[in-house]
Amino acid sequence: MKTSSVELIILDLLSQEQAHLTAQEIYQQLRSRLPAVNPSTVYRALERMAHAGKISVSDMGRGAMVYEAVGGERHHHLVCQECGAVMTIEDQPVNELFRYLEKQYHFEMITNHLILFGRCQNCQSPVQVLKAETSKE
Amino acid sequence: MKTSSVELIILDLLSQEQAHLTAQEIYQQLRSRLPAVNPSTVYRALERMAHAGKISVSDMGRGAMVYEAVGGERHHHLVCQECGAVMTIEDQPVNELFRYLEKQYHFEMITNHLILFGRCQNCQSPVQVLKAETSKE
DNA sequence: ATTATAAACGCAAATATTTGAAAATGCAAG
DNA sequence: CTTGCATTTTCAAATATTTGCGTTTATAAT
Ligand SMILES: [Zn+2]
Ligand SMILES: [Zn+2]
Ligand SMILES: [Zn+2]
Ligand SMILES: [Zn+2]
């Protein structure tokens, strides 16, 4: 395998904490370090890296896919469709479902960064929140 | 609300069984019925309908989002990243995770068509399959 | 039927993304 | 070091998608 300079910089960009960047954001930031880089180089590098499992690709409701470096704690997100708030959730409950599906369907899971959409507590209507509160007790 | 003719035709297209169509596919098929329709009309209609919950939007690894009519049996899919095979799975186990996360995070889930990527049995290496087989017993 | 209003549409321009083909580059064998 | 090969990069062109804005159209009130 060849060590592409663009790949290295992309990985560095994505290593900034909590980075979930779109292709455009990556391209723009890359230009400050490699002013003459061509957009297609970036798109192709991202495609290659995603296929190699170095980065994950997710739709987080930002209008374009976001890329994240693979390697830290495995995690997933809940994204509010009203206000855009992003919550991070731990892997365990998701992992249990995945293991179940793997056995059930003889399927080897690759997805490792799950995004689920909904409404955060702030954006739920007061009656909904009330209902949830009372049913808890 | 205005009843848009384009929306009606899109819903009709998406009502064909198992339809998971990209914006382009929808645009092309729409042209055979409304030859002069403008692409931006289609993109905007899809955006509107998704926001209204009439259709779901999912990345199924086809290079563009696919749209599906909401309304039939709630289901989800496993998509093989090697060969593109699409398996349909029932809602129950997924639903259990969703209900758990809703309580745990005070989050109201909207996602109703989950896509998970991996490798189908055919595309797993022989040793992997063998391992899975034996660990089962 | 007329009118007012908001929603949907078309059009053209701006962006973003993909694709094919040639040139450049890194790596390793000779 | 030189050669050969595979990978990466660039460039230009093709596609796809988004956006601003003026026009049309459906709906409901007058
Ligand atoms: Zn993340
Ligand atoms: Zn919110
Ligand atoms: Zn489906
Ligand atoms: Zn497969």
Side-chain angles (χ1 to χ4, degrees):
Chain A
M1 239 356 113
K2 209 161 148 177
T3 39
S4 151
S5 57
V6 167
E7 279 197 27
L8 289 179
I9 302 184
I10 290 178
L11 275 181
D12 187 48
L13 289 177
L14 292 181
S15 296
Q16 307 309 109
E17 59 154 329
Q18 297 284 357
H20 295 95
L21 303 178
T22 65
Q24 276 301 309
E25 291 167 340
I26 291 170
Y27 172 59
Q28 299 301 345
Q29 296 192 31
L30 207 44
R31 273 156 59 108
S32 61
R33 298 213 223 170
L34 285 182
V37 73
N38 193 283
S40 71
T41 301
V42 177
Y43 287 108
R44 287 205 246 239
L46 289 171
E47 186 185 358
R48 217 180 320 138
M49 295 165 78
H51 189 264
K54 298 175 186 171
I55 60 181
S56 68
V57 191
S58 323
D59 170 17
M60 291 184 70
R62 308 250 312 266
M65 292 292 171
V66 297
Y67 299 85
E68 178 177 39
V70 166
E73 285 285 287
R74 210 169 98 115
H75 67 275
H76 313 284
H77 299 285
L78 303 180
V79 177
C80 179
Q81 258 178 7
E82 302 291 329
C83 69
V86 175
M87 280 179 262
T88 300
I89 66 180
E90 82 280 16
D91 184 43
Q92 187 200 312
V94 172
N95 191 52
E96 281 176 24
L97 171 67
F98 283 12
R99 295 297 85 82
Y100 168 79
L101 294 175
E102 287 190 325
K103 289 201 176 165
Q104 204 61 208
Y105 294 94
H106 306 295
F107 190 80
E108 180 198 352
M109 205 66 71
I110 293 179
T111 293
N112 61 353
H113 188 243
L114 191 64
I115 310 297
L116 300 172
F117 293 96
R119 262 187 285 274
C120 75
Q121 188 163 21
N122 278 343
C123 295
Q124 291 167 39
S125 73
V127 299
Q128 278 177 312
V129 174
L130 187 62
K131 235 188 273 181
E133 289 294 322
T134 54
S135 78
K136 235 189 317 186
E137 298 144 42
Chain B
M1 232 10 103
K2 213 159 143 178
T3 39
S4 151
S5 57
V6 168
E7 278 197 28
L8 290 179
I9 302 183
I10 291 178
L11 275 181
D12 187 48
L13 289 177
L14 293 181
S15 297
Q16 307 308 109
E17 59 154 329
Q18 297 284 359
H20 296 95
L21 304 178
T22 65
Q24 275 302 310
E25 291 167 340
I26 291 170
Y27 172 58
Q28 300 302 344
Q29 296 192 31
L30 207 44
R31 273 157 60 109
S32 62
R33 297 213 223 168
L34 284 182
V37 72
N38 193 281
S40 71
T41 300
V42 177
Y43 286 108
R44 287 204 248 240
L46 289 171
E47 186 184 357
R48 218 164 38 219
M49 296 166 78
H51 187 264
K54 298 175 187 170
I55 60 180
S56 68
V57 191
S58 323
D59 171 18
M60 291 184 70
R62 308 250 311 268
M65 292 293 171
V66 298
Y67 299 85
E68 178 177 38
V70 166
E73 285 284 287
R74 211 169 98 113
H75 67 275
H76 312 284
H77 300 286
L78 303 179
V79 177
C80 179
Q81 259 178 8
E82 301 293 328
C83 68
V86 174
M87 280 179 263
T88 300
I89 66 180
E90 81 280 16
D91 184 42
Q92 187 200 312
V94 172
N95 191 51
E96 280 175 25
L97 170 67
F98 282 13
R99 297 295 86 82
Y100 169 78
L101 293 175
E102 286 191 326
K103 290 202 176 165
Q104 204 61 207
Y105 294 95
H106 306 296
F107 190 80
E108 181 198 351
M109 205 67 71
I110 293 179
T111 293
N112 61 354
H113 189 243
L114 191 65
I115 310 297
L116 300 172
F117 294 95
R119 263 186 285 273
C120 74
Q121 189 163 22
N122 278 344
C123 295
Q124 291 166 39
S125 71
V127 298
Q128 277 176 312
V129 174
L130 186 62
K131 234 188 273 181
E133 290 293 322
T134 54
S135 78
K136 235 189 318 186
E137 296 143 44

